[in-house]
Amino acid sequence: MPFKALHLSENVLRGVQAAGYTDPTPIQLRAIPAVLTGGDVIASAQTGTGKTAAFALPVLTRLGHHGRARVLVLEPTRELAAQVETAFRDFARFTDIRTVAVFGGVGYGQQRSELKRGVDVIVATPGRLMDYLQDRTISLQDISILILDEVDRMLDMGFLPVVKDIVARCPRERQTLFFSATVPPEIAAIASFALRNPTKVEIGIARSVNESVKHALYPVAAEQKFELLEALLAKTDFDSVLVFSRTKHGADKIARRLKTANHSVAVLHANRSQNQRIEALAGFKSGKYEVMVATDIAARGIDVAGVSHVINYDVPEKPEDYVHRIGRTGRAQAVGDAFTLVTPENAGDIRDIQRFIGQKIPELKLEGFNYRPIVARPAQEYAPGGAHSKPSRQGGWNRFGGGGGRRRARY
Ligand code: AMP
């Protein structure tokens, strides 16, 4: 079914065509009619499935023309807020609807003046939005459509209390659209608080990895991880590579070493200034940097066309992050490769990931690489409660436990 058959407004259809979209993706086919009815929708779909257009197109159609601030979109990260606002603006280019992105890390001046001019769609991160609510730059009294995007990530980032507060400040009579890749109990609770009789849209299994991505595990001794990363980069014919590190410190270290090895490298993590983050992403998108080293939070949902490879330098802590990381490549049916470096300590995490995605990931060896023997550390050294035990998801698994007492810096 083409976009034309989906009852979008003429001007929004022109925006879709100008964006170069061909046929609707499965989530667009299911969600667009549901959103157009004006009812609430809860959708579980991973990023890369065309989720943004699935809500932006029918919402713009429902808005019609410029008026008051009627749509609020909440996003967990600044990058996502910027990206989603850009998508809204692109689709709205043949309408008079105005959009604004509201996020922290940058000055207030320009956002304030855009808000003053009058906008229809506000795409915001919770923190900066609260600033504007408190000083009354923004009022939510005319919000008729509330979109909560990537709610599971907002939970991870500790945003749920503020999200709840924001939801409570919106008019009760409204349409609420709720997107989350996974729906654990805390999120189900927020959903029942925010939504009324929602239509459920589930695309495939929420935990599936993008089928166009070929993925592989590369077992290696811990001390040879960087060497193997370099060898993979040297041997692979890549356009642009996203390397994931579990920690900010680790990301900086990998980037430094790659720079020394003459790669052009960008770094994206939460400790970098907003300007550095914008520059990193823009440089990576434009091809100035061939490699971007990132942590999960910073890279979640980031849409970079043409990411040919994702390399998990560190195995992700949570199985769902594996799906999100891999979702950075092979977006919208392109083909990508995803490699994960695995040390013996990761065996438990890998088992969890394979169970989560319902498939076994093949193990590969890089030909010509001078592998040192891979020796497992004694189990008690990294799994206090026995091999691969996970005492608590929230508390952080101190797998390297016992000595040192240094807590791992997250993201
Ligand atoms: P999203 O899941 O919204 O982040 O979208 C992932 C990528 O797919 C983005 O680069 C979109 O521009 C692209 N995309 C989404 N829907 C379509 C479509 N119907 N046709 C072509 N590309 C699309």
Side-chain angles (χ1 to χ4, degrees):
M1 188 193 284
F3 275 107
K4 251 205 210 129
L6 286 175
H7 305 289
L8 296 166
S9 73
E10 208 48 49
N11 285 337
V12 170
L13 263 181
R14 285 176 68 199
V16 174
Q17 273 157 6
Y21 284 17
T22 42
D23 288 327
T25 64
I27 187 167
Q28 290 160 3
L29 281 175
R30 300 269 312 277
I32 290 173
V35 177
L36 284 174
T37 64
D40 288 358
V41 174
I42 179 165
S44 60
Q46 63 194 91
T47 52
T49 51
K51 179 160 69 83
T52 315
F55 60 79
L57 301 176
V59 162
L60 289 169
T61 295
R62 293 202 65 219
L63 284 184
H65 290 286
H66 174 57
R68 292 165 184 272
R70 287 160 292 161
V71 179
L72 174 64
V73 188
L74 282 186
E75 294 288 342
T77 66
R78 299 160 186 179
E79 280 77 11
L80 270 170
Q83 184 176 301
V84 167
E85 193 260 343
T86 304
F88 261 97
R89 197 173 336 152
D90 276 353
F91 297 135
R93 78 177 84 169
F94 299 106
T95 72
D96 59 356
I97 289 169
R98 296 189 204 148
T99 63
V100 67
V102 158
F103 51 77
V106 292
Y108 288 77
Q110 195 184 337
Q111 293 175 1
R112 274 218 172 88
S113 66
E114 283 181 54
L115 286 163
K116 251 205 197 111
R117 272 186 60 226
V119 294
D120 302 275
V121 179
I122 300 170
V123 186
T125 53
R128 181 59 66 97
L129 177 66
M130 280 312 280
D131 289 350
Y132 288 133
L133 290 175
Q134 267 146 17
D135 73 10
R136 293 170 195 263
T137 305
I138 291 181
S139 150
L140 300 181
Q141 68 183 20
D142 294 313
I143 295 297
S144 56
I145 306 177
L146 171 66
I147 302 167
L148 305 175
D149 194 18
E150 304 263 346
V151 185
D152 47 347
R153 183 51 47 145
M154 299 219 231
L155 168 80
D156 288 350
M157 295 177 74
F159 279 147
L160 282 201
V162 58
V163 169
K164 236 178 141 174
D165 186 357
I166 292 166
V167 173
R169 288 164 186 254
C170 291
R172 286 173 65 87
E173 279 309 313
R174 59 162 199 267
Q175 178 179 32
T176 308
L177 312 178
F178 193 99
F179 292 83
S180 188
T182 54
V183 187
E186 300 94 317
I187 293 199
I190 277 271
S192 61
F193 166 76
L195 298 164
R196 272 192 291 189
N197 298 327
T199 304
K200 290 201 172 81
V201 177
E202 214 171 313
I203 294 306
I205 347 166
R207 51 187 53 184
S208 69
V209 289
N210 196 323
E211 276 176 15
S212 58
V213 176
K214 287 180 281 169
H215 43 157
L217 303 176
Y218 282 88
V220 66
E223 68 274 15
Q224 273 197 304
K225 273 170 88 173
F226 187 79
E227 253 176 87
L228 182 60
L229 171 66
E230 272 208 283
L232 280 169
L233 291 177
K235 284 255 167 134
T236 312
D237 183 18
F238 62 80
D239 300 321
S240 59
V241 184
L242 198 45
V243 176
F244 280 100
S245 155
R246 265 196 199 185
T247 65
K248 296 178 277 201
H249 177 68
D252 284 334
K253 202 163 142 194
I254 296 164
R256 258 198 318 273
R257 293 180 71 178
L258 286 175
K259 270 183 208 158
T260 312
N262 281 329
H263 289 283
S264 56
V265 187
V267 193
L268 192 71
H269 61 61
N271 268 10
R272 310 215 80 212
S273 73
Q274 189 55 25
N275 281 343
Q276 286 173 322
R277 286 162 71 163
I278 290 168
E279 200 277 329
L281 204 53
F284 187 58
K285 283 185 181 176
S286 72
K288 177 176 166 196
Y289 303 115
E290 56 187 6
V291 183
M292 183 157 79
V293 188
T295 56
D296 289 292
I297 286 258
R300 173 76 176 257
I302 292 303
D303 179 26
V304 187
V307 172
S308 62
H309 290 74
V310 165
I311 300 182
N312 293 316
Y313 187 84
D314 298 316
V315 174
E317 202 161 330
K318 295 181 177 176
E320 52 269 37
D321 281 334
Y322 182 82
V323 178
H324 287 294
R325 290 180 180 189
I326 300 313
R328 300 309 97 226
T329 182
R331 290 172 80 80
Q333 275 88 53
V335 176
D337 284 64
F339 303 147
T340 302
L341 308 192
V342 184
T343 62
E345 295 91 284
N346 302 135
D349 288 340
I350 294 296
R351 260 205 306 276
D352 288 350
I353 289 168
Q354 299 192 133
R355 202 174 300 137
F356 186 79
I357 64 175
Q359 71 188 76
K360 205 166 156 50
I361 310 170
E363 284 190 7
L364 294 185
K365 273 194 132 177
L366 183 66
E367 240 174 84
F369 184 73
N370 193 10
Y371 281 97
R372 265 179 246 154
I374 303 174
V375 190
R377 301 186 209 186
Q380 67 273 19
E381 238 186 74
Y382 57 88
H388 319 307
S389 75
K390 290 177 178 173
S392 133
R393 294 226 140 198
Q394 255 68 42
W397 319 316
N398 190 6
R399 213 168 298 127
F400 305 94
R406 203 175 64 113
R407 275 187 69 85
R408 220 170 35 226
R410 298 196 71 217
Y411 310 113

